[in-house]
Amino acid sequence: MSLALTDLCRYPIVQAPMAGGVSSPQLVGAVADAGGLGFLAAGYKTADGMYHEIKQLRRLTGRPFGVNLFMPQPLLADPSAVEVYRHQLAGETSWYETPLGDPDSSGDDGYEAKVAILLEDPVPVVSFTFGCPTREVLDAFAAAGTLTVVTVTTPQEARNAQWAGAHAVCVQGTEAGGHQSTHRDDPQGGLTGTGLLTLVAEVRESVRLPVVAAGGLMRGSQITAVLAAGADAAQLGTAFLACPESGAHPLHKRALTDPLFVTTALTRAFSGRPARGLVNRFVREHGRYAPAAYPQVHQMTSGLRKAAAEAGDPQGMALWAGQGHRMARELPAGELVELLAAETEAARAAVSGRSAQ
């Protein structure tokens, strides 16, 4: 399956699925046409919304692409902790003049309906975030001719994915922007994780599946490093955020290189799940109080985040970004893929030259 996965694209470059409208059909199509593998993000969309974007993408490109699904989340949060956090956010509702959302909505993200659509009208690749599907689901995708990728953050999660029948794993290091794709959010586990190069090596020794490496990658030299460490391809998200085809809010794009935002941190402040973003006022004021309660906290803060964006206030937005965010380049996605491929080849040649000396 390693060859099957990498044969879908000219370069070992995967554009990460970024939910919330960032991974637009235009971005995915441009990446695919340039020789990378682009991913639509179905998270936070309805099943019909996902299908509409797939149809739109198929009109833009004839190249292979992938779709990412969020796994259903058990509603295990402590209601009292969610209520305490609601009171913690009272000042934000006054500041942005908008109420908090309902935390008690379903946590399944329309998973079953999306799976049904993708089995009826298959796409080349489907990946999964926040857990691993059942063997029955993965076997059904295999029968439909779809390659499956499970995002993992530990060797044990990778072993579970292999046992369930996944074709590949996306190994996500703690450097990655956005949500950490842990299969179980342990409230006692803290906001920690394993660095990408170490995690790739650990997973390589744990499973026989192809590995896609993700986490803070912004340059071709870094792609070369993870390939040398045993990955079959590299997945980049933050690197594509600043592209004109990206659906990220303009304030989010500018914040990546704004000297006002000097660092990133893992926080539950916006969603109740560990996610890496630029440290702004909201993270500093609320991060320490946010409970392990996804998607309840995500639903509560949704209106606040939208109101902050409408007010032009990045200090109240979820500015998801990986550790390499200051290396973002505002280039069309196709040009960025070509540049990354050239940088990767140059880095490989430099390594080969040093080895020959």
Side-chain angles (χ1 to χ4, degrees):
M1 279 302 170
S2 177
L3 289 177
L5 185 66
T6 55
D7 281 351
L8 295 177
C9 47
R10 187 183 322 141
Y11 307 122
I13 297 171
V14 179
Q15 165 253 309
M18 294 170 280
V22 179
S23 296
S24 67
Q26 291 76 17
L27 176 63
V28 179
V31 168
D33 283 344
L37 180 63
F39 268 87
L40 288 173
Y44 307 137
K45 293 186 176 72
T46 64
D48 286 343
M50 176 197 75
Y51 188 52
H52 174 76
E53 287 204 345
I54 291 172
K55 291 194 295 183
Q56 186 179 355
L57 177 56
R58 283 172 170 156
R59 291 193 293 267
L60 293 173
T61 183
R63 299 291 304 160
F65 62 91
V67 174
N68 175 261
L69 302 181
F70 284 176
M71 291 298 298
Q73 299 299 293
L75 302 177
L76 301 177
D78 179 356
S80 63
V82 175
E83 186 61 24
V84 168
Y85 195 53
R86 171 182 286 278
H87 289 294
Q88 165 73 20
L89 297 176
E92 300 290 341
T93 65
S94 300
W95 179 257
Y96 292 115
E97 298 181 335
T98 190
L100 294 177
D102 178 10
D104 297 323
S105 303
S106 170
D108 70 358
D109 200 53
Y111 174 75
E112 296 291 346
K114 291 171 183 175
V115 166
I117 288 173
L118 293 170
L119 288 175
E120 183 177 341
D121 190 3
V123 299
V125 188
V126 172
S127 67
F128 302 88
T129 294
F130 301 152
C132 182
T134 63
R135 176 174 288 276
E136 180 183 15
V137 168
L138 292 176
D139 285 350
F141 276 115
T146 296
L147 296 176
T148 53
V149 182
V150 174
T151 310
V152 301
T153 61
T154 68
Q156 184 58 56
E157 290 174 355
R159 287 190 287 269
N160 293 344
Q162 178 173 264
W163 180 87
H167 295 128
V169 288
C170 177
V171 176
Q172 185 194 47
T174 190
E175 305 93 334
H179 283 99
Q180 295 286 289
S181 187
T182 52
H183 292 189
R184 178 178 178 271
D185 182 19
D186 182 2
Q188 308 304 320
L191 298 174
T192 60
T194 304
L196 180 59
L197 288 178
T198 298
L199 190 57
V200 167
E202 290 179 343
V203 170
R204 262 287 171 228
E205 293 187 3
S206 300
V207 299
R208 295 175 175 270
L209 296 176
V211 167
V212 179
L217 305 177
M218 303 293 288
R219 295 288 188 267
S221 58
Q222 295 170 298
I223 295 174
T224 299
V226 295
L227 296 177
D232 297 277
Q235 179 171 285
L236 296 81
T238 306
F240 287 101
L241 265 176
C243 294
E245 299 93 340
S246 157
H249 194 284
L251 290 174
H252 192 169
K253 293 182 180 184
R254 288 200 292 272
L256 295 174
T257 53
D258 187 335
L260 185 64
F261 301 100
V262 297
T263 189
T264 65
L266 288 172
T267 182
R268 287 190 170 95
F270 293 104
S271 73
R273 239 186 185 276
R276 184 172 297 281
L278 300 177
V279 176
N280 58 7
R281 177 193 61 78
F282 198 100
V283 172
R284 287 192 297 269
E285 292 184 3
H286 304 298
R288 74 188 71 178
Y289 305 107
Y294 178 90
Q296 292 93 332
V297 172
H298 167 80
Q299 291 156 350
M300 274 203 307
T301 66
S302 177
L304 295 178
R305 289 178 274 124
K306 291 176 183 176
E310 291 171 359
D313 181 12
Q315 296 295 339
M317 297 169 60
L319 303 172
W320 303 136
Q323 288 184 342
H325 65 96
R326 299 202 62 78
M327 301 169 72
R329 297 178 282 202
E330 192 176 341
L331 295 172
E335 289 185 25
L336 181 56
V337 170
E338 295 286 357
L339 179 57
L340 289 167
E343 290 174 347
T344 302
E345 187 58 35
R348 280 174 162 171
V351 170
S352 297
R354 287 194 292 269
S355 299
Q357 291 177 355

